[in-house]
mmCIF file with all atom_site columns, all heavy atoms in Angstrom:
data_model
loop_
_atom_site.group_PDB
_atom_site.id
_atom_site.type_symbol
_atom_site.label_atom_id
_atom_site.label_alt_id
_atom_site.label_comp_id
_atom_site.label_asym_id
_atom_site.label_entity_id
_atom_site.label_seq_id
_atom_site.pdbx_PDB_ins_code
_atom_site.Cartn_x
_atom_site.Cartn_y
_atom_site.Cartn_z
_atom_site.occupancy
_atom_site.B_iso_or_equiv
_atom_site.pdbx_formal_charge
_atom_site.auth_seq_id
_atom_site.auth_comp_id
_atom_site.auth_asym_id
_atom_site.auth_atom_id
_atom_site.pdbx_PDB_model_num
ATOM 1  N N   . SER A 1 155 ? 67.581 13.668 -3.888  1.00 95.00 ? 155 SER A N   1
ATOM 2  C CA  . SER A 1 155 ? 67.318 12.714 -2.798  1.00 95.00 ? 155 SER A CA  1
ATOM 3  C C   . SER A 1 155 ? 68.516 11.774 -2.664  1.00 95.00 ? 155 SER A C   1
ATOM 4  O O   . SER A 1 155 ? 69.369 11.691 -3.561  1.00 95.00 ? 155 SER A O   1
ATOM 5  C CB  . SER A 1 155 ? 66.063 11.885 -3.124  1.00 95.00 ? 155 SER A CB  1
ATOM 6  O OG  . SER A 1 155 ? 66.360 10.946 -4.135  1.00 95.00 ? 155 SER A OG  1
ATOM 7  N N   . GLY A 1 156 ? 68.538 11.052 -1.546  1.00 95.00 ? 156 GLY A N   1
ATOM 8  C CA  . GLY A 1 156 ? 69.619 10.092 -1.342  1.00 95.00 ? 156 GLY A CA  1
ATOM 9  C C   . GLY A 1 156 ? 69.675 9.054  -2.458  1.00 95.00 ? 156 GLY A C   1
ATOM 10 O O   . GLY A 1 156 ? 70.752 8.702  -2.953  1.00 95.00 ? 156 GLY A O   1
ATOM 11 N N   . GLY A 1 157 ? 68.504 8.581  -2.872  1.00 95.00 ? 157 GLY A N   1
ATOM 12 C CA  . GLY A 1 157 ? 68.469 7.575  -3.931  1.00 95.00 ? 157 GLY A CA  1
ATOM 13 C C   . GLY A 1 157 ? 68.989 8.133  -5.250  1.00 95.00 ? 157 GLY A C   1
ATOM 14 O O   . GLY A 1 157 ? 69.708 7.452  -5.998  1.00 95.00 ? 157 GLY A O   1
ATOM 15 N N   . GLN A 1 158 ? 68.621 9.397  -5.531  1.00 96.00 ? 158 GLN A N   1
ATOM 16 C CA  . GLN A 1 158 ? 69.125 10.040 -6.757  1.00 96.00 ? 158 GLN A CA  1
ATOM 17 C C   . GLN A 1 158 ? 70.640 10.234 -6.670  1.00 96.00 ? 158 GLN A C   1
ATOM 18 O O   . GLN A 1 158 ? 71.361 10.016 -7.641  1.00 96.00 ? 158 GLN A O   1
ATOM 19 C CB  . GLN A 1 158 ? 68.414 11.373 -6.977  1.00 96.00 ? 158 GLN A CB  1
ATOM 20 C CG  . GLN A 1 158 ? 66.958 11.206 -7.386  1.00 96.00 ? 158 GLN A CG  1
ATOM 21 C CD  . GLN A 1 158 ? 66.179 12.512 -7.349  1.00 96.00 ? 158 GLN A CD  1
ATOM 22 O OE1 . GLN A 1 158 ? 66.501 13.424 -6.581  1.00 96.00 ? 158 GLN A OE1 1
ATOM 23 N NE2 . GLN A 1 158 ? 65.152 12.607 -8.177  1.00 96.00 ? 158 GLN A NE2 1
ATOM 24 N N   . GLN A 1 159 ? 71.108 10.656 -5.495  1.00 96.00 ? 159 GLN A N   1
ATOM 25 C CA  . GLN A 1 159 ? 72.565 10.831 -5.344  1.00 96.00 ? 159 GLN A CA  1
ATOM 26 C C   . GLN A 1 159 ? 73.298 9.509  -5.559  1.00 96.00 ? 159 GLN A C   1
ATOM 27 O O   . GLN A 1 159 ? 74.353 9.467  -6.188  1.00 96.00 ? 159 GLN A O   1
ATOM 28 C CB  . GLN A 1 159 ? 72.888 11.372 -3.949  1.00 96.00 ? 159 GLN A CB  1
ATOM 29 C CG  . GLN A 1 159 ? 72.460 12.812 -3.750  1.00 96.00 ? 159 GLN A CG  1
ATOM 30 C CD  . GLN A 1 159 ? 72.868 13.326 -2.380  1.00 96.00 ? 159 GLN A CD  1
ATOM 31 O OE1 . GLN A 1 159 ? 74.038 13.338 -2.026  1.00 96.00 ? 159 GLN A OE1 1
ATOM 32 N NE2 . GLN A 1 159 ? 71.891 13.757 -1.600  1.00 96.00 ? 159 GLN A NE2 1
ATOM 33 N N   . GLN A 1 160 ? 72.721 8.421  -5.050  1.00 95.00 ? 160 GLN A N   1
ATOM 34 C CA  . GLN A 1 160 ? 73.399 7.138  -5.225  1.00 95.00 ? 160 GLN A CA  1
ATOM 35 C C   . GLN A 1 160 ? 73.379 6.720  -6.693  1.00 95.00 ? 160 GLN A C   1
ATOM 36 O O   . GLN A 1 160 ? 74.361 6.152  -7.191  1.00 95.00 ? 160 GLN A O   1
ATOM 37 C CB  . GLN A 1 160 ? 72.739 6.068  -4.336  1.00 95.00 ? 160 GLN A CB  1
ATOM 38 C CG  . GLN A 1 160 ? 73.520 4.770  -4.209  1.00 95.00 ? 160 GLN A CG  1
ATOM 39 C CD  . GLN A 1 160 ? 74.926 4.960  -3.647  1.00 95.00 ? 160 GLN A CD  1
ATOM 40 O OE1 . GLN A 1 160 ? 75.755 5.662  -4.252  1.00 95.00 ? 160 GLN A OE1 1
ATOM 41 N NE2 . GLN A 1 160 ? 75.204 4.349  -2.515  1.00 95.00 ? 160 GLN A NE2 1
ATOM 42 N N   . ARG A 1 161 ? 72.299 7.045  -7.416  1.00 96.00 ? 161 ARG A N   1
ATOM 43 C CA  . ARG A 1 161 ? 72.274 6.703  -8.855  1.00 96.00 ? 161 ARG A CA  1
ATOM 44 C C   . ARG A 1 161 ? 73.284 7.562  -9.613  1.00 96.00 ? 161 ARG A C   1
ATOM 45 O O   . ARG A 1 161 ? 73.908 7.106  -10.570 1.00 96.00 ? 161 ARG A O   1
ATOM 46 C CB  . ARG A 1 161 ? 70.852 6.871  -9.399  1.00 96.00 ? 161 ARG A CB  1
ATOM 47 C CG  . ARG A 1 161 ? 69.974 5.671  -9.007  1.00 96.00 ? 161 ARG A CG  1
ATOM 48 C CD  . ARG A 1 161 ? 68.543 6.056  -8.745  1.00 96.00 ? 161 ARG A CD  1
ATOM 49 N NE  . ARG A 1 161 ? 67.887 6.619  -9.902  1.00 96.00 ? 161 ARG A NE  1
ATOM 50 C CZ  . ARG A 1 161 ? 66.786 7.368  -9.844  1.00 96.00 ? 161 ARG A CZ  1
ATOM 51 N NH1 . ARG A 1 161 ? 66.238 7.645  -8.694  1.00 96.00 ? 161 ARG A NH1 1
ATOM 52 N NH2 . ARG A 1 161 ? 66.240 7.825  -10.941 1.00 96.00 ? 161 ARG A NH2 1
#
Side-chain angles (χ1 to χ4, degrees):
S155 74
Q158 289 169 332
Q159 290 183 59
Q160 192 58 299
R161 282 146 62 200

